Amino acid sequence: MSLPALLLENALNWRHQLHQLPELGYQEQQTSELVARVLEQAGLQVFRGIAGTGVIGTLENGPGPVIGLRADMDALPITEKGIAAWKSTRPGVMHACGHDGHTAILLAAACQLAATRDFSGTIHFLFQPAEENLGGARRMTEEGLFSRFPMDAVYAMHNWPGLPLGTLAVNPGAMMASLDSFEITLSGRSCHAAMPESGADPMVVAAELVLALQTIPSRRLSPLASAVVSVTQIHGGEAINVIPEQITLRGTVRCLQPEVRERVRGLIEEFVTALPRPFGVSGDIHWYPGYPVTANHPAPAQQVREVAEQMLGDAQVKWACSPSMASEDFACMLEACPGAYFWLGADGEVPSAPLHNASYDFNDALLPVGITFWQKLVESVLAKR
């Protein structure tokens, strides 16, 4: 299946334009304007304002199932180090995760499907804001995405450095880990650093606690369970000769099974409460809402696999791939609707820089692969009877 040259040219131009003008979560005003304009020109019904800057384009073509295809639109607060002509023009903001490419692919797929219409049913093209840590998928769901636009299944793709271009990875179960963030406050009693016996030192407790939390995955869980506990920040103290009164620790927990997630949270709370006591220090923890496990539903995942094998060949499809311990807010959509999330390999002859890296740039060779896959998936799931 060959795509029109003009469509590919447009997709490339959209991708570069979006990369030059990146916008952070819930600030995707220019991105949303571009998306809405292109969808309207292609003849789709366009709905704006869900989750603030979200855009939905609906394409109906007779009776049949209803599916959703999702692309994320937001950028990251990173200063780009690239040298491409389309380098970010906004200091401190860049598309370091490829959402510019995801958006361009889905826009082009919408245009192609509106032109060919070789399917029977309805497609909702979901352009989601604020995937990066801000939970745009959860907000879209809470604002009635699936009640206003009922769907039989919803799908999302992500470019994936580390996999060769022309490969696709999908799993019938977990693809990405859950995410929970925490803030631990250790409260002691301040004193002169030369007289530690006259105070209660939260700094020593912080050191003990950081190491103790690492025993949760290694000693308190089965080796078959998947969990990561990472303390990423320690804050406290003002003078080098004063033991501080408080220390704050922040970090994240990642798990691949919901029951493990609950177990880890409970164990961390036990450590925070019990470990400081012999030191005369108290511990308190505050949890920040995170994302659930990105868990595919077997039937939609199998559909992705079959289309990928037909398009790319069996050897290019990584079925039942190893999940990533990173997280993805598309998980919130998968909790509300059956669907599947999958990865498209991003490595060309020169391997891609990692995601969330200042030197990353989306591999434009992925554009025709992604557009064609969306078209083939739609024509398979919404096959004319």
Side-chain angles (χ1 to χ4, degrees):
M1 179 190 297
S2 59
L3 297 169
L6 180 59
L7 180 74
L8 291 175
E9 181 182 347
N10 286 339
L12 185 64
N13 289 336
W14 296 330
R15 210 287 283 181
H16 291 175
Q17 180 179 339
L18 291 169
H19 194 89
Q20 286 184 305
L21 300 171
E23 297 173 298
L24 297 175
Y26 298 127
Q27 300 175 31
E28 307 96 337
Q29 300 293 342
Q30 289 177 286
T31 303
S32 294
E33 288 292 338
L34 170 64
V35 166
R37 183 175 69 251
V38 171
L39 294 176
E40 288 169 350
Q41 290 172 348
L44 278 71
Q45 295 176 271
V46 176
F47 305 87
R48 305 186 61 174
I50 187 166
T53 48
V55 180
I56 297 174
T58 297
L59 180 61
E60 299 178 6
N61 197 49
V66 182
I67 64 172
L69 309 180
R70 173 273 211 168
D72 33 21
M73 301 188 296
D74 57 323
L76 282 156
I78 296 175
T79 298
E80 185 166 7
K81 291 183 178 178
I83 58 173
W86 51 87
K87 180 180 177 180
S88 171
T89 59
R90 292 178 170 156
V93 184
M94 72 168 286
H95 272 293
C97 201
H99 297 182
D100 49 342
H102 303 163
T103 298
I105 284 172
L106 192 59
L107 270 180
C111 294
Q112 175 71 354
L113 287 159
T116 58
R117 293 182 177 267
D118 190 18
F119 66 92
S120 183
T122 299
I123 314 161
H124 297 302
F125 298 90
L126 314 176
F127 293 88
Q128 178 208 311
E131 188 277 330
E132 300 290 358
N133 298 321
L134 295 174
R138 172 179 282 123
R139 182 172 167 187
M140 289 185 82
T141 302
E142 291 174 347
E143 291 187 10
L145 173 64
F146 295 105
S147 57
R148 291 177 58 189
F149 306 91
M151 303 173 209
D152 298 297
V154 64
Y155 302 86
M157 68 165 63
H158 205 294
N159 78 99
W160 206 251
L163 288 177
L165 183 69
T167 60
L168 182 148
V170 64
N171 197 307
M175 284 290 293
M176 306 279 278
S178 62
L179 165 63
D180 289 298
S181 300
F182 58 80
E183 181 175 282
I184 298 168
T185 303
L186 300 174
S187 301
R189 188 168 65 254
S190 180
C191 65
H192 197 294
M195 307 169 196
E197 75 281 2
S198 63
D201 190 349
M203 188 70 73
V204 172
V205 176
E208 294 278 357
L209 185 59
V210 170
L211 294 176
L213 293 180
Q214 300 314 303
T215 68
I216 292 175
S218 65
R219 289 295 179 268
R220 301 299 301 275
L221 300 177
S222 164
L224 301 178
S226 300
V228 174
V229 180
S230 294
V231 178
T232 57
Q233 298 179 18
I234 301 179
H235 300 277
E238 296 176 307
I240 62 172
N241 61 346
V242 176
I243 289 174
E245 183 174 347
Q246 281 193 340
I247 297 290
T248 300
L249 298 86
R250 299 189 182 98
T252 69
V253 176
R254 315 286 178 130
C255 303
L256 287 177
Q257 300 90 12
E259 64 276 11
V260 173
R261 183 187 187 192
E262 292 306 310
R263 172 75 171 148
V264 170
R265 285 181 56 139
L267 288 169
I268 291 176
E269 290 170 4
E270 284 185 30
F271 272 111
V272 170
T273 301
L275 186 145
R277 285 176 182 162
F279 297 87
V281 173
S282 64
D284 182 66
I285 185 167
H286 178 77
W287 291 98
Y288 294 93
Y291 303 152
V293 177
T294 305
N296 284 341
H297 298 249
Q302 178 64 26
Q303 196 99 41
V304 168
R305 176 190 185 182
E306 292 173 0
V307 172
E309 288 177 346
Q310 293 168 8
M311 173 180 162
L312 303 171
D314 294 1
Q316 299 299 99
V317 178
K318 313 301 180 185
W319 175 246
C321 62
S322 296
S324 168
M325 296 307 290
S327 303
E328 162 64 67
D329 80 340
F330 185 65
C332 300
M333 292 190 182
L334 290 176
E335 276 196 327
C337 179
Y341 173 89
F342 56 94
W343 301 325
L344 288 180
D347 286 355
E349 292 184 9
V350 177
S352 170
L355 300 175
H356 293 213
N357 183 284
S359 297
Y360 170 87
D361 190 20
F362 184 85
N363 185 351
D364 288 327
L366 255 177
L367 293 172
V369 179
I371 298 164
T372 302
F373 184 84
W374 277 142
Q375 181 177 359
K376 286 184 173 292
L377 181 68
V378 167
E379 292 174 352
S380 174
V381 176
L382 305 183
K384 287 186 174 181
R385 306 297 183 217

